Amino acid sequence: MSNKMWGGRFGEGPDRIMEEINASIGFDQRFFAQDIRGSKAHCTMLAETGIISREDAEQIVAGLDAVLAEIKEGRFTFKRELEDIHMNVESRLADLIGATAGRLHTARSRNDQVALDFKLYIRDTIDHLDEQLAEFQLALVDKAETHADTIMPGYTHLQTAQPVTFGHHCLAYVEMAGRDRSRLADARKRLNESPLGAAALAGTSFPIDRHRTAKDLGFDGPTRNSLDSVSDRDFVLETLAAAAIAATHLSRLAEEIVVWSNPGFNFVRLTDGFTSGSSIMPQKRNPDAAELVRAKSGRIIGGLTTLLVVMKGLPLAYSKDMQEDKEAAFDALDALSLSLAAMTGMIATLTVNAPEMRAAASRGFSTATDLADWLVRALGLPFRQAHHVTGTLVGIAEKKGVDLDALTLDEMRAVEPGITDEVYGVLGVDNSVRSRTSFGGTAPDNVRAACAHWRAQFGRNA
Ligand code: ARG
């Protein structure tokens, strides 16, 4: 059978394989709500500008609502021979209202239609991701507040560096998620121009009102160049880039959860809800959800790469290559949404083993920098010399198998005669974190102030 939409020129239907490679209905059906919303706005404008009659427009809008209801209620049969969501909806509209349906596509092409649908979809997705990121931040701020005073080892190279607070560590991810939100918001701002009315590529000779449809669909205005409108997908690329960065942040936290929940660390315990057992080793408690979040960043970064490669080198304007823009984006954005949900759940429910964290922070000479700083402050040594003295003392303690605060005063004085017993005041982890009050530092009071800052932000934005 020849195609309903362009059968005028085509005698024969497509080859079976052509149908398979050409159809996008399998994945673009998720645009149904955006597609119908766009069509209703277009139709209303066509009537307002006198391009079609009011009666026809009313019939079309009512028919589109009926199609929407059928899809929502699962009564709609998507047909591969109708290729994509646009033609499936229009064809069903024709079944319901007859030849009048054919007036809907006046002054429009599937090229501006698909660009519109995708923009509306991405805009909705950004809004949803923003809510999810806010919830993720909130879960972290809750944990940070509870653990403003909980001491853990801070690492560089995953080697004990200096003691920090667990609250401070949680808040590091709140900052990252805040920037992820702002990157998405930035992408949203730039995408918010309507491509509808660009038609196939050159605009149209009908007296359409693009400002009217743009406003109706919640855009700031219409796009300014018809060629650009139908041929760029940078709004998807930007969103995927922001998503890839967010996923990279999540993968780092996921990795930390995997490490922290390892019995060798024993810093946190995940709930049964986010772990799994082993069918052969009864002692196992595997952090599967964290591992999967860590891995899902792969497909999210992959989605960005896929679309960059699809778009690279395409001549203006539309090419069918651009139908390949959807699956990778859907997959990536779905994966990010699921990862955020899982991570928020894990953070909200995990319990912290404060004594174990504290004990680990006290091992590994984590207050060596505090000792060096004390030598500078109390004895006036240049920092480089203080660093050297401290290094010698760490070497002695290491040989004895003890921590710095277990060295006797005599042992310390043998290295630097000026040292007094005041030094013991800076060798404890509590004093160490409490002293880190510089702006953005790990001190418990700083953590509490940062939590208050974020709560005030959420009051406004979330
Ligand atoms: N299904 C198509 C897509 O996803 C819609 C646009 C088709 N346009 C065309 N000129 N063949 O890109």
Side-chain angles (χ1 to χ4, degrees):
M1 187 188 71
S2 153
N3 188 293
K4 264 196 205 173
M5 307 290 171
W6 51 77
R9 162 84 171 72
F10 282 66
E12 280 176 30
D15 189 274
R16 189 181 55 79
I17 295 297
M18 172 57 182
E19 193 179 287
E20 188 172 341
I21 195 172
N22 201 36
S24 56
I25 189 62
F27 46 88
D28 69 12
Q29 54 181 266
R30 68 159 89 189
F31 283 162
F32 75 88
Q34 288 84 5
D35 194 73
I36 290 175
R37 188 178 170 201
S39 287
K40 283 169 69 177
H42 183 65
C43 179
T44 304
M45 179 278 293
L46 289 178
E48 281 172 2
T49 49
I51 298 168
I52 65 171
S53 72
R54 295 221 170 252
E55 300 74 60
D56 284 347
E58 273 167 28
Q59 249 192 307
I60 292 170
V61 168
L64 286 168
D65 280 334
V67 175
L68 181 65
E70 285 183 8
I71 299 177
K72 277 190 177 160
E73 290 157 22
R75 292 186 282 115
F76 190 96
T77 315
F78 291 104
K79 295 188 185 136
R80 196 170 78 171
E81 62 271 24
L82 290 171
E83 213 180 301
D84 57 24
I85 184 64
H86 324 297
M87 296 205 286
N88 268 270
V89 169
E90 193 184 323
S91 165
R92 182 65 189 141
L93 182 66
D95 293 345
L96 295 177
I97 69 166
T100 306
R103 298 194 187 278
L104 171 61
H105 213 52
T106 315
R108 185 178 77 169
S109 150
R110 279 188 298 155
N111 296 351
D112 57 341
Q113 202 179 347
V114 73
L116 172 70
D117 291 6
F118 210 176
K119 272 198 170 179
L120 291 173
Y121 180 86
I122 291 288
R123 199 173 67 181
D124 291 344
T125 303
I126 288 177
D127 291 344
H128 182 62
L129 288 172
D130 185 65
E131 277 168 31
Q132 286 196 291
L133 280 160
E135 274 171 41
F136 171 54
Q137 286 182 303
L138 207 53
L140 285 163
V141 168
D142 285 345
K143 274 282 139 135
E145 221 154 44
T146 311
H147 293 285
D149 297 283
T150 301
I151 292 171
M152 71 179 286
Y155 300 103
T156 60
H157 314 266
L158 199 54
Q159 306 288 316
T160 302
Q162 294 173 354
V164 295
T165 52
F166 184 63
H168 196 55
H169 199 111
C170 290
L171 289 178
Y173 285 100
V174 176
E175 298 286 338
M176 293 177 228
R179 291 193 297 277
D180 291 331
R181 290 178 70 187
S182 110
R183 264 182 287 273
L184 287 170
D186 201 41
R188 190 192 196 285
K189 235 182 275 161
R190 246 186 312 279
L191 77 69
N192 209 31
E193 291 180 339
S194 172
L196 186 58
L201 75 164
T204 175
S205 56
F206 288 100
I208 57 171
D209 185 348
R210 294 191 58 211
H211 290 85
R212 172 72 177 94
T213 44
K215 193 163 171 225
D216 197 355
L217 295 166
F219 289 105
D220 298 330
T223 49
R224 267 178 310 277
N225 182 298
S226 61
L227 287 169
D228 171 51
S229 313
V230 293
S231 59
D232 209 351
R233 292 293 181 265
D234 58 355
F235 63 97
V236 191
L237 287 170
E238 277 196 62
T239 305
L240 288 175
I245 296 171
T248 304
H249 290 150
L250 290 180
S251 79
R252 298 184 71 175
L253 179 53
E255 164 69 3
E256 295 197 307
I257 290 175
V258 170
V259 170
W260 294 338
S261 62
N262 174 289
F265 277 74
N266 195 19
F267 286 180
V268 301
R269 186 177 171 85
L270 292 168
T271 52
D272 290 354
F274 287 100
T275 47
S276 74
S278 156
S279 52
I280 177 167
M281 299 164 283
Q283 85 285 8
K284 293 272 271 177
R285 202 182 159 73
N286 298 326
D288 294 38
E291 293 167 280
L292 287 164
V293 170
R294 186 171 61 184
K296 291 224 183 265
S297 55
R299 56 209 290 165
I300 300 168
I301 296 164
L304 170 62
T305 309
T306 299
L307 188 54
L308 282 168
V309 176
V310 165
M311 297 307 296
K312 181 207 146 301
L314 278 191
L316 302 190
Y318 179 87
S319 298
K320 199 60 174 263
D321 305 54
M322 289 165 69
Q323 181 164 286
E324 287 289 309
D325 59 359
K326 294 170 199 61
E327 280 172 292
F330 293 158
D331 185 66
L333 297 170
D334 288 351
L336 179 59
S337 178
L338 184 56
S339 298
L340 275 168
M343 192 50 100
T344 304
M346 275 187 278
I347 293 296
T349 56
L350 63 73
T351 50
V352 171
N353 186 346
E356 198 62 51
M357 276 189 180
R358 191 195 157 83
S362 310
R363 290 189 297 267
F365 314 109
S366 68
T367 56
T369 316
D370 298 272
L371 171 55
D373 287 349
W374 181 85
L375 292 170
V376 171
R377 250 192 338 265
L379 309 185
L381 298 191
F383 182 77
R384 288 288 167 222
Q385 195 185 331
H387 184 286
H388 190 82
V389 169
T390 306
T392 310
L393 291 172
V394 167
I396 294 168
E398 201 170 27
K399 223 170 277 159
K400 279 185 74 183
V402 297
D403 264 300
L404 280 173
D405 58 359
L407 292 179
T408 65
L409 197 53
D410 287 342
E411 282 168 321
M412 292 204 225
R413 279 192 170 138
V415 179
E416 168 49 59
I419 295 179
T420 67
D421 63 1
E422 254 180 52
V423 74
Y424 291 103
V426 301
L427 294 180
V429 289
D430 299 281
N431 287 337
S432 172
V433 295
R434 231 180 284 131
S435 72
R436 297 274 193 285
T437 52
S438 55
F439 187 78
T442 193
D445 284 345
N446 283 20
V447 172
R448 278 182 276 271
C451 287
H453 160 86
W454 280 109
R455 288 215 189 276
Q457 294 273 310
F458 296 148
R460 270 200 302 280
N461 305 325

